[in-house]
Amino acid sequence: MKFIRIILFPIVPIYYVVTWLRNYLYDRGIMASKSYETPVICIGNLSTGGTGKTPTIEYLIRLLKDKKSVATLSRGYKRITEGFILADDEATADTIGDEPFQFFRKFEGIKVAVDGDRQNGIEQLIALKEKPEVILLDDAYQHRRVKPGMNILLTAYYNLYSKDIVLPTGNLREPRSGAKRADIIVVTKCPVDLSDEEKERIASKLKIKSEQKLFFSHIAYAEEFISKQGKLALRTLPNFTLVTGIANAKPLVEFLEKKNLKFNHIEYPDHYSFKPSDVEMLSKKGLLVTTEKDYVRLSHHENLEPNLYYLPIEMAMDKPEDFNALIEQYVG
């Protein structure tokens, strides 16, 4: 894969010009963006994934759900359906996508919708009889047809957008200059003990503008694995198999290793669609531990359910009071 990316380097300037020109046309108003009276918060990134959008959206849901009527809108990556769908009791990871289904099963009282056309999705939501008071756009930073009232841009500590290039050789969906659209930039997946000096160094690398707000977050792991059968404390866990289908499992692996847990890691691509042969193979591995996103795609298999657990995570912000105040001020 790395070799292929290297030999595709001549395409990088073409991709750069095309995406830069597209942004220029939107920035100048030559291509139209639509804004809405309903508060719309976009959570996205410049890179192709692995920046922690799901924990960030869950953080915002927890912050707002008791104060406002909240809806999430995703495209529903790898779902088998098309068009606008509002999740109901018939929803599955196949019909609305794994991450939206995770939101739906985890948080009561919120609306979870999917639509590849974010503009249409928003209009469908605000046309509901009980319309949401705030809409969280999942992974829509490059969806320029919608002009969010607030843009939150995520970049992972171990892979800052400032040291990356555009596709296909790099991982950026658009040039680094796209960061100027962000109101808030969050450096995610940081070490827990990140120093103030390191934060200042990162701020300099990212070239934060005076009107932008910069925050740092880390992943807070639970101390228990959870399943339909109950809970298992980390310290009591015997040898197990770790199964991941996420963009970057490195932080999770490092956390488990620091806990001195013994496990074998089976790694699949992000949003992997598990085949019957995969499920059959995993059913013979004994105790299985996975991420919450993978759990919603695996837990319906009866031969896996008795031995399948996931490790919950949450996003922890370095200055939660300041971050929360910005969000609450915007949504009113």
Side-chain angles (χ1 to χ4, degrees):
M1 179 62 75
K2 288 183 178 180
F3 175 73
I4 295 175
R5 285 193 168 209
I6 291 171
I7 64 175
L8 290 176
F9 182 77
I11 301 175
V12 167
I14 300 172
Y15 186 95
Y16 181 98
V17 170
V18 170
T19 53
W20 179 90
L21 180 59
R22 177 178 181 269
N23 281 333
Y24 177 83
L25 294 175
Y26 274 109
D27 293 341
R28 294 291 179 177
I30 299 170
M31 294 178 70
S33 296
K34 188 171 182 179
S35 57
Y36 299 87
E37 291 185 7
T38 300
V40 176
I41 302 175
C42 172
I43 301 91
N45 49 29
L46 297 184
S47 66
T48 53
T51 57
K53 291 185 298 294
T54 300
T56 304
I57 292 171
E58 291 189 353
Y59 182 101
L60 293 171
I61 293 172
R62 292 187 185 94
L63 174 65
L64 298 172
K65 67 183 180 64
D66 294 331
K67 309 179 184 84
K68 297 284 184 180
S69 171
V70 176
T72 67
L73 177 61
S74 313
R75 64 169 169 160
Y77 184 60
K78 284 197 172 182
R79 62 186 170 120
I80 60 175
T81 56
E82 295 182 356
F84 176 83
I85 295 179
L86 183 65
D88 57 20
D89 290 340
E90 301 299 317
T92 67
D94 288 332
T95 60
I96 63 173
D98 49 15
E99 289 160 344
F101 186 58
Q102 179 175 320
F103 302 148
F104 180 70
R105 66 187 285 274
K106 196 169 184 176
F107 299 101
E108 292 185 5
I110 72 166
K111 294 178 175 63
V112 175
V114 293
D115 197 335
D117 183 342
R118 303 303 206 287
Q119 199 175 91
N120 180 69
I122 292 173
E123 290 165 0
Q124 293 279 355
L125 283 170
I126 61 181
L128 294 173
K129 184 177 180 180
E130 296 181 2
K131 67 179 183 179
E133 295 174 295
V134 57
I135 298 173
L136 305 178
L137 285 186
D138 176 18
D139 196 15
Y141 198 77
Q142 286 74 39
H143 201 95
R144 299 296 306 273
R145 290 182 62 225
V146 170
K147 187 176 182 179
M150 175 176 281
N151 260 320
I152 300 177
L153 178 65
L154 310 180
T155 184
Y157 171 82
Y158 56 81
N159 189 22
L160 300 173
Y161 62 74
S162 59
K163 55 184 180 181
D164 203 351
I165 62 173
V166 297
L167 295 164
T169 301
N171 292 310
L172 298 186
R173 299 170 174 176
E174 60 174 295
R176 295 189 291 258
S177 58
K180 66 184 180 183
R181 300 197 304 275
D183 300 290
I184 296 173
I185 296 175
V186 182
V187 181
T188 61
K189 302 185 179 181
C190 296
V192 177
D193 56 352
L194 190 66
S195 67
D196 290 338
E197 291 76 15
E198 179 71 356
K199 291 178 181 179
E200 291 176 5
R201 185 185 66 81
I202 292 173
S204 177
K205 282 188 174 183
L206 298 180
K207 299 180 180 178
I208 303 298
K209 293 185 169 187
S210 59
E211 66 270 20
Q212 293 177 317
K213 303 297 182 182
L214 177 65
F215 294 90
F216 297 83
S217 71
H218 67 269
I219 297 173
Y221 293 96
E223 290 296 321
E224 294 177 316
F225 293 112
I226 296 177
S227 78
K228 294 179 181 178
Q229 278 63 249
K231 300 178 180 180
L232 283 176
L234 266 67
R235 63 181 183 277
T236 65
L237 205 66
N239 290 5
F240 61 91
T241 298
L242 175 66
V243 181
T244 61
I246 57 178
N248 183 16
K250 183 179 178 181
L252 173 58
V253 171
E254 289 179 347
F255 171 79
L256 296 174
E257 287 176 343
K258 287 180 180 178
K259 292 288 184 178
N260 295 317
L261 298 175
K262 298 184 182 301
F263 60 92
N264 177 47
H265 184 198
I266 300 177
E267 190 170 12
Y268 294 95
D270 195 18
H271 297 281
Y272 182 74
S273 297
F274 292 94
K275 303 178 182 68
S277 58
D278 299 318
V279 174
E280 178 64 23
M281 179 271 292
L282 292 174
S283 69
K284 301 175 182 177
K285 296 294 183 179
L287 188 64
L288 301 172
V289 170
T290 189
T291 67
E292 190 168 4
K293 184 172 76 170
D294 294 312
Y295 184 84
V296 301
R297 285 181 284 134
L298 288 170
S299 59
H300 67 280
H301 294 286
E302 292 183 0
N303 54 343
L304 296 184
E305 184 181 336
N307 293 314
L308 184 65
Y309 289 77
Y310 71 90
L311 182 63
I313 64 171
E314 290 186 12
M315 185 184 77
M317 196 71 68
D318 65 332
K319 297 178 181 177
E321 298 84 0
D322 295 343
F323 180 84
N324 296 353
L326 287 173
I327 303 300
E328 291 172 337
Q329 181 181 13
Y330 166 63
V331 301

